[in-house]
Amino acid sequence: MSLKLFELVGTDASRPFSPYCWRTRMALAHKGLAAESLPWRFTEKSAIAPHGSEKVPVLLHDDKPVVDSWTIANYLEDRFPDRPSLFGGEGGRAMARMINAFGDIAIVGGIFPLIVADIPKNLADVDAAYFRPSREARFGGKTLEEIMASRDAGVVAFRKSLEMMRQTLKKQPFIGGGAPNYADYIVFGGFQWARVTSPFKLLEADDPVYAWREKLLDAFDGMARTSPGHAV
């Protein structure tokens, strides 16, 4: 069996940073599966175009492409049913679909304006030249620095947006219950993206979300913590 994963990097090929690729990295580790990392950069679209995608992650299973982090998680669950479940049954899979949207909107969307001007510092010039105008266009032409200028106030609102998660983690150690599952990896992917690309402090040390993030940084023999990143 051959598994290969295209994942987003910048100038350091050992520093994957896409929140969606981290969802897949954690899912593979949960299943006890090892995938060869195929470093991919923003301007290398021709490398994944033959696999029917313009974005990563792209997983190749015996050269068969599986595209999109949610699709990959479902593929791993169904293709490897004898390995630890990512969802804990169909009810868990259904609830994880809602968490997938929460992860996209509240976590990735909430973090983006807090770290966006730090991301190009991790990129080669050609990739930074692609990233900057494509992201500035999403904000009506504001520069990345203008988008991020109010982050000291913005992070307060972001922390408040985590209250639903915070209340859950006061009652149980993980979103998935007594042990982490794919719902946790969805949300964690956004925090790991921020940790790898930016020194900005998203969480206070006494926050239950901070303690939860610490546990996931240490999961799978510290796979996420040992990946190069900032002390946040």
Side-chain angles (χ1 to χ4, degrees), residues 30-197:
H30 183 102
K31 284 284 188 182
L33 297 167
E36 177 187 352
S37 176
L38 301 177
W40 179 90
R41 296 165 181 84
F42 284 115
T43 53
E44 296 176 341
K45 296 189 182 297
S46 62
I48 57 175
H51 304 302
S53 184
E54 294 184 348
K55 294 185 276 189
V56 291
V58 174
L59 180 71
L60 301 181
H61 180 203
D62 293 333
D63 294 326
K64 172 188 174 182
V66 189
V67 175
D68 174 77
S69 58
W70 176 253
T71 302
I72 291 170
N74 282 275
Y75 178 85
L76 294 175
E77 184 77 343
D78 297 336
R79 181 63 180 78
F80 301 99
D82 56 323
R83 293 175 177 265
S85 174
L86 287 168
F87 302 114
E90 287 307 306
R93 192 189 309 237
M95 285 189 285
R97 185 174 288 109
M98 187 277 288
I99 298 295
N100 203 63
F102 171 76
D104 291 349
I105 297 166
I107 303 300
V108 175
I111 291 173
F112 184 81
L114 307 178
I115 67 168
V116 63
D118 291 330
I119 294 174
K121 299 171 186 176
N122 299 274
L123 306 177
D125 290 346
V126 65
D127 295 301
Y130 163 82
F131 180 86
R132 179 174 287 275
S134 66
R135 272 51 181 183
E136 289 176 347
R138 297 180 186 178
F139 286 82
K142 286 185 178 180
T143 67
L144 301 185
E145 291 73 19
E146 288 172 333
I147 296 165
M148 204 174 76
S150 59
R151 70 177 176 179
D152 288 338
V155 74
V156 175
F158 173 70
R159 290 168 183 165
K160 288 180 179 178
S161 77
L162 302 176
E163 189 59 27
M164 174 181 69
M165 184 178 169
R166 192 171 292 116
Q167 291 300 320
T168 300
L169 294 172
K170 287 178 180 178
K171 303 284 176 52
Q172 60 196 50
F174 297 99
I175 300 171
N181 64 15
Y182 192 65
D184 291 274
Y185 309 145
I186 290 167
V187 179
F188 176 74
F191 285 101
Q192 180 70 348
W193 164 53
R195 174 187 168 270
V196 172
T197 57

Side-chain angles (χ1 to χ4, degrees), residues 189-211:
F191 285 101
Q192 180 70 348
W193 164 53
R195 174 187 168 270
V196 172
T197 57
S198 173
F200 186 65
K201 183 179 178 181
L202 293 177
L203 300 170
E204 298 288 359
D206 61 352
D207 191 333
V209 180
Y210 181 100

Side-chain angles (χ1 to χ4, degrees), residues 5-8 18-26 56-57 69:
L5 180 65
F6 283 98
E7 48 188 352
L8 180 64
S18 160
Y20 303 101
C21 292
W22 270 101
R23 293 178 189 182
T24 298
R25 272 194 158 218
M26 300 294 280
V56 291
S69 58

